[in-house]
Structure formats: C-alpha cells, structure tokens
Amino acid sequence: MTTQTTGFQGGAPPSALSGQRRGPAPAAPGRASRPGSAYVLPATLFFLAFAVVPVIGVFVLSFTSWQGLGDPTFIGLDNWRRLVSDPGVLAATGTTFLLTALSWATQTPLAIAVGVWAAGRQRNRAVLSTIYFLPLLLSSGAIAIAWRAIVDPNFGIAKYLGPFIGFPDGNIIGNPKSALYVIVFVLIWQFVPFHSLIYQAAARNIPAMLYDAATIDGATRWHAFWFVTLPQLKNTIITSSTIMIVGSLTYFETILLLTQGGPGDATVTLPYLMYQGAFNNYEMGFAATVAAVIVVLGTLVSLLIVRFSGFGRMRSTLEGL
Amino acid sequence: MAERSIARPNYAAGVLAGIWLVIVAMPVVWMISWAVQRRSEYLANGPLALPRNVTFGNVQAVIAAGFTKYMVNSAIVTVASIVLTLVLALPAAYAIVRSREWLAGTVFRMFLLGLAIPAQATIIPVYWILTRLGLYDTLTGIVLPTVAFGLPLVILILAGSLRDVSGELYEAMTVDGAGPLRAFFRLTLPLSRGAITTVAIFSGLNAWNGFIFPLILTQSPEKRVATLGLWDFQQEYGVDVPMLMTAVLLSALPVLFLYLFARRWLVAGLAGVGGK
C-alpha cells in the first residue's frame, strides 16, 4: 500500500518505505505528504490581477490625464499640483476627518455597550439581540434608500420629528449644518449591529473565572466592566476600530445615495470627491490622485493602529502557528 | 452581599437597551408599514399612520417594473462569487497551513497586508482593467473584483480553521498512501465544513449587497443587479415610497432566510474576524 506515492508531494519523500538506515528522515515529526506551492498559485495570481494591480494602478493613473475612453496620457505631476491647491480637496479632507472622528466616537461606545449587554445569557437579551441585528439583513444601498424616505422633509418622519429638535420645516437633510450629522446617524444605525456582533462574541469568550474573582474582591458591576471586561476586549476594540476608521475614510455609498454631497458641498468627503470626479466629471486622472491619498491614508491609519497597539504581535502569533 | 452586586438585574442597562431597541426597530417597522399600504393611503395619512388596509399590491408593481430580473442577476453574481471564492481560497488556505515551501508563507503575508487595501479607493483602475478585458457591462465583470477583495479575509478565516485539522490525521492518510490532493478532498474538506459554510455565507452576502462595483461596471438594465435596481427605482419612482420600500424589503428576503436558517454560521464567521 505504501508504495503508492503520488507525484504531487513537494515535501518529505516516503522514507517509511525505504527503511530506517537512510540517514536522518527529512522533517522528523511531519511524515505526512504536504501540498506544494501550486495550491496557492490560482488565488495569488487572481488577487494580484484584480486587487494588487488596481492599487498600483491608482498611483500610475494619478500621473495621467484620462477621460475614461481611449488611453491615459502621461502628464507628470499636474494632478498632484492641482490636488494641493484645490480648496475643494481641502474641504473634503476636513469633512472626511470629521465624519471619521464622529463615527468612531459614537459607534465604538455604542457597539461595546450593546455587544456586552447582548452577551449576557438572559433569555430576554437573546430575543432582543435578534432585533438588534436586523440592520445586518439590509444592504447599504437598501438602508440609504429607506433612510432617504424617513428623512424626507415633506413626506417622511423628519417632518414630524424636526420641530422637536430645532428644525421647524423638518428639513434636517437639506441643511448644510445638519446634513453630515444625518449621515453619521444613518452610519450608526447601519454599522453598530455588525460591531456589536463582534463585541458580543468576544465578551462571551471572557472567562467567567475573572468575574468570580472580581466579585470575591467586592467589585461592583461598574468595576467589573471597567477592570475586567474592557481590558479583555482590548484586541477586539483595536480590530473593530480599525475596520471602523478605515471604513469611514473610504466608504461613500451612503453619501452618494442620501445627499450626493449636498447641500452645497456640506457632505463631500474624499471618497465621494473621487467618485464624482471619475464617474460624473470623467476626470479619471485627477480622481485617481484623490484615490491615492485615500489609499495612503487608509493604509497609514491601519499600520499606525497595528504598530502602537501591539496588535502586530497578535497577528504574528497567528502566523507562526 | 457582594456577589449579588453583579448578579442582580441591571435596570439602568435595561432602560438603555430599550431606547436602543426603539432606534433600531422603528425604521424597520416604518419600512414594513409603508410597504403594505397603497400610495394614496400613505400620502393621505402620513408616514406615522399604521396601514388600515394591508395590501400586497406593491409587490406586483415592483415585479412589473422589472425587479425580478434584477434579483436573478444578483443571484447569479452571488452564486458565481461563492463558487469562485471557494475554488480559489480553499486550496490556498490548505497550502498555507500545510505546505513547507516559502511561497505559501509569503502568500499568507501578502493576504494579511491585503486586508488593509480599501477596495472602494481602487474603483478607477478596476474600471480601467475590466474595460480593457472587454468585461464592461457583464456580470462576470462584477464577480471578479468582488471575489478578489473578499479573498484576504476569507483566506484568514479558512487558514485559522484548517489549522485545527490535526497533523496525525494527515500522517495517517499518508500511511494509507494518500497524496496531498487526496488528503485535501478526503480529510481537509470534510473536516472544515463549518468554516466553508461560514466563508460561503460571508462572500455570498458581500456579493448580494455589493453596490459600488456594479455601479461603475454595468450600465444596461439587462445587467442590473438588485442593489442598483433600488437606486434606479429611487430615481424613477422616488415619490412612490410604498413601492420603493417593497423593493427594499424584497431585496433583503434571501438574506432574511439565511439569517433564520444559518445565523450560527454567520455569527461564527464574523466572530472569526474579531475573536481574540
């Protein structure tokens, strides 16, 4: 039976067959046949072609002028010069950072609170949790379209709710001062369920022993949350925050569907500016320059978070296994 | 006593949980309430009134406007994305876990870095590449980048799970004369059914809910997917809120079934992302 050796294996030769006297067996503990590099090639080539090449393409196109048809023509640093002097880009950068900061500062505490609460084993919590996760069933497009009807100043809920929160005409979405906050609120509604799901799973993994020990030490509920739950959730907070921040820096579907950057330029963020530049104005080269800034920002933020949080160590333990 | 301080019902949290419940649930209640009334009733009674005559007539209007075709297109893109994801990611994860060759380790590091790529920022070159390949305005064109940007997370989840298949089982397979390919089909795949289901659901949801790639890569109504169909309805029938909400809810119906029957797997997949 053991004489059957398929040609696939790249690793250890079948030393069991050829007797013990052939010197040290290659890879002593792992006698099993192992797959070779051929197995990773399809996924690698595919990922290179449709994900890595586009990332490089962003930078290449940023040095070109291209209307979307024909071939891009090389124009050197023109797009980059325009980028640094364009007041629209500066304003969009500010809006992007504001949106990112507001999203993170609202979604993180909410998601932790909901996730930790939903992690409790009580029956009512289990039932409520299924409702809490309802927004996960809807696509971001569907959510934005539903909210557009809700905040419609003439026929929507905003008409009735507006007067109570300082908008007698109900036009919360059409006011340059409040439109961005509507976006922030819709993003909370859309993304907190996903993040609370992550926190719920993580909170359930905290050993009950730690809470028992805290209780013996006379800890109150608040102490237990502050000194046991939160420190135990550290890695999850880092993961969730990275997803949230990088997401906020790059995501524009809700803005496209809800406000289209308006009123005026009040909700134009960098990714929306990129989309508008490329597919409404057909200035693909300049839009790619904006995209390059987004790629750099997004990567930088995730690297910084990984670097200063010790999350990199966690990743490398994953890798070493 | 001290131990009661944690075990006692937490009323403050209960009240906050109730407030959050209202915030999350009310929009869903409104959507359903608007979807089951006539447009004339909605305009006359306002958005806060509960429907007096429940009707499913809006479903017919949505179907008549061609939404079924868009749902079918979405289904094709979803199934194709799941199949392509699994065909590419499973052998890759298998080799990443089992192979001793340098390429497997390098590839894993590449996919880890790939997690940081913001897909939405690459739409311009993606458009460039796919028009060059003659895949503009095709469903295939949507599938390719959707799958590519899903791969890093999928491979991370799969590799994490494939590691749990013990080395002794592989050795036993080898003793029985099985090569790596046979071990893959007879051992790795059957023992990783949970992770495969999770990953299939994850990539399926990704494809079904996708908006940006279909938006920039397709044009004709024949190739329109459901999410874009909603956007199109919004432009065309924006004032017909009951019809619009019906379309929104119809587009979520397949996901609702998934949620009802596969919630455990969905949660497992998401926890794999954020777990410790």
Side-chain angles (χ1 to χ4, degrees):
Chain A
M1 277 284 125
T2 42
T3 48
Q4 254 187 1
T5 54
T6 56
F8 276 96
Q9 58 201 43
S15 56
L17 173 75
S18 35
Q20 300 94 320
R21 232 151 274 178
R22 284 196 74 195
R31 267 162 304 216
S33 56
R34 291 177 178 277
S37 301
Y39 286 76
V40 295
L41 277 182
T44 309
L45 294 177
F46 189 84
F47 187 71
L48 285 175
F50 296 108
V52 177
V53 169
V55 174
I56 300 166
V58 165
F59 293 94
V60 173
L61 284 174
S62 77
F63 299 105
T64 67
S65 164
W66 184 41
Q67 273 70 52
L69 296 169
D71 285 314
T73 44
F74 186 73
I75 55 163
L77 287 170
D78 284 7
N79 289 325
W80 288 92
R81 280 197 206 100
R82 181 178 155 194
L83 183 90
V84 289
S85 59
D86 191 325
V89 173
L90 192 66
T93 310
T95 310
T96 309
F97 284 138
L98 183 62
L99 181 69
T100 304
L102 287 173
S103 296
W104 182 81
T106 50
Q107 289 178 28
T108 302
L110 262 171
I112 293 176
V114 173
V116 169
W117 188 83
R121 300 284 174 184
Q122 293 89 332
R123 181 173 275 269
N124 63 334
R125 296 192 181 189
V127 174
L128 282 190
S129 299
T130 58
I131 299 174
Y132 283 166
F133 297 138
L134 276 179
L136 286 173
L137 305 186
L138 297 163
S139 65
S140 48
I143 288 174
I145 281 162
W147 276 93
R148 209 170 143 139
I150 291 170
V151 299
D152 187 290
N154 299 312
F155 302 105
I157 302 294
K159 182 184 175 189
Y160 301 88
L161 193 66
F164 290 100
I165 52 173
F167 296 89
D169 59 350
N171 202 356
I172 314 172
I173 191 77
N175 186 322
K177 288 207 176 73
S178 52
L180 193 69
Y181 297 94
V182 176
I183 302 275
V184 170
F185 191 85
V186 173
L187 293 179
I188 289 174
W189 194 84
Q190 179 172 349
F191 288 116
V192 164
F194 169 76
H195 291 279
S196 21
L197 198 60
I198 297 179
Y199 283 114
Q200 182 196 32
R204 283 193 173 155
N205 280 335
I206 300 175
M209 202 176 69
L210 294 178
Y211 290 105
D212 296 342
T215 312
I216 291 166
D217 289 345
T220 64
R221 198 195 311 277
W222 180 247
H223 286 145
F225 176 77
W226 200 251
F227 296 110
V228 178
T229 312
L230 271 191
Q232 285 287 311
L233 290 179
K234 189 186 157 222
N235 280 335
T236 315
I237 294 174
I238 293 161
T239 314
S240 158
S241 300
T242 313
I243 297 173
M244 248 179 225
I245 293 173
V246 175
S248 303
L249 286 174
T250 61
Y251 176 87
F252 66 93
E253 282 172 61
T254 306
I255 291 173
L256 171 67
L257 290 164
L258 213 54
T259 63
Q260 278 154 311
D265 292 332
T267 53
V268 172
T269 58
L270 283 177
Y272 184 71
L273 195 72
M274 167 199 75
Y275 170 78
Q276 205 184 26
F279 296 98
N280 291 345
N281 307 338
Y282 298 100
E283 294 182 313
M284 297 277 187
F286 181 66
T289 317
V290 179
V293 173
I294 300 167
V295 170
V296 170
L297 268 180
T299 316
L300 215 62
V301 166
S302 25
L303 288 181
L304 280 179
I305 295 175
V306 167
R307 173 116 204 160
F308 287 106
S309 59
F311 188 57
R313 285 194 287 282
M314 200 193 88
R315 271 197 181 162
S316 53
T317 54
L318 257 179
E319 254 179 286
L321 284 173
Chain B
M1 301 286 280
E3 55 202 272
R4 294 231 184 95
S5 63
I6 289 179
R8 185 189 63 204
N10 189 343
Y11 295 111
V15 170
L16 293 177
I19 295 173
W20 180 241
L21 178 72
V22 172
I23 294 176
V24 171
M26 281 320 286
V28 179
V29 172
W30 289 325
M31 277 182 229
I32 296 170
S33 153
W34 298 343
V36 297
Q37 50 185 310
R38 283 176 207 290
R39 187 184 160 198
S40 52
E41 200 183 333
Y42 170 80
L43 289 176
N45 300 337
L48 292 170
L50 287 173
R52 279 166 217 172
N53 311 299
V54 170
T55 170
F56 294 100
N58 295 314
V59 177
Q60 281 158 3
V62 169
I63 291 171
F67 201 63
T68 330
K69 172 72 186 158
Y70 306 158
M71 298 266 282
V72 170
N73 283 340
S74 277
I76 294 170
V77 168
T78 303
V79 171
S81 297
I82 294 175
V83 171
L84 187 58
T85 300
L86 292 180
V87 165
L88 292 172
L90 279 168
Y94 173 55
I96 282 167
V97 173
R98 295 288 305 161
S99 174
R100 286 273 162 89
E101 289 171 32
W102 65 270
L103 188 65
T106 309
V107 163
F108 190 51
R109 274 186 288 276
M110 176 188 79
F111 279 117
L112 277 180
L113 280 176
L115 280 173
I117 298 179
Q120 308 223 17
T122 63
I123 53 175
I124 300 166
V126 163
Y127 171 82
W128 186 29
I129 292 168
L130 288 166
T131 45
R132 270 305 117 84
L133 293 174
L135 292 172
Y136 181 73
D137 207 22
T138 63
L139 296 181
T140 315
I142 302 174
V143 172
L144 298 180
T146 304
V147 169
F149 286 103
L151 276 180
L153 194 53
V154 163
I155 285 180
L156 194 66
I157 296 175
L158 281 179
S161 157
L162 261 53
R163 283 204 176 91
D164 295 342
V165 180
S166 84
E168 279 125 54
L169 289 175
Y170 284 108
E171 283 170 31
M173 286 293 282
T174 310
V175 170
D176 286 347
L181 191 65
R182 221 173 117 203
F184 176 64
F185 281 111
R186 290 287 169 81
L187 182 64
T188 318
L189 292 190
L191 286 180
S192 316
R193 257 177 281 165
I196 294 172
T197 315
T198 306
V199 158
I201 288 176
F202 171 81
S203 49
L205 278 177
N206 228 356
W208 181 268
N209 291 335
F211 180 82
I212 296 298
F213 286 135
L215 175 71
I216 61 154
L217 295 173
T218 61
Q219 192 174 32
S220 59
E222 292 76 45
K223 304 292 183 225
R224 197 170 284 156
V225 296
T227 44
L228 273 192
L230 291 178
W231 173 226
D232 188 60
F233 280 8
Q234 154 75 44
Q235 316 270 62
E236 205 170 332
Y237 313 100
V239 283
D240 195 346
V241 170
M243 179 186 166
L244 211 51
M245 291 306 122
T246 306
V248 162
L249 293 177
L250 277 181
S251 77
L253 214 54
V255 191
L256 178 67
F257 280 116
L258 206 67
Y259 186 67
L260 294 177
F261 299 111
R263 181 154 176 258
R264 196 159 68 88
W265 298 119
L266 192 69
V267 173
L270 292 169
V273 187
K276 312 212 296 170

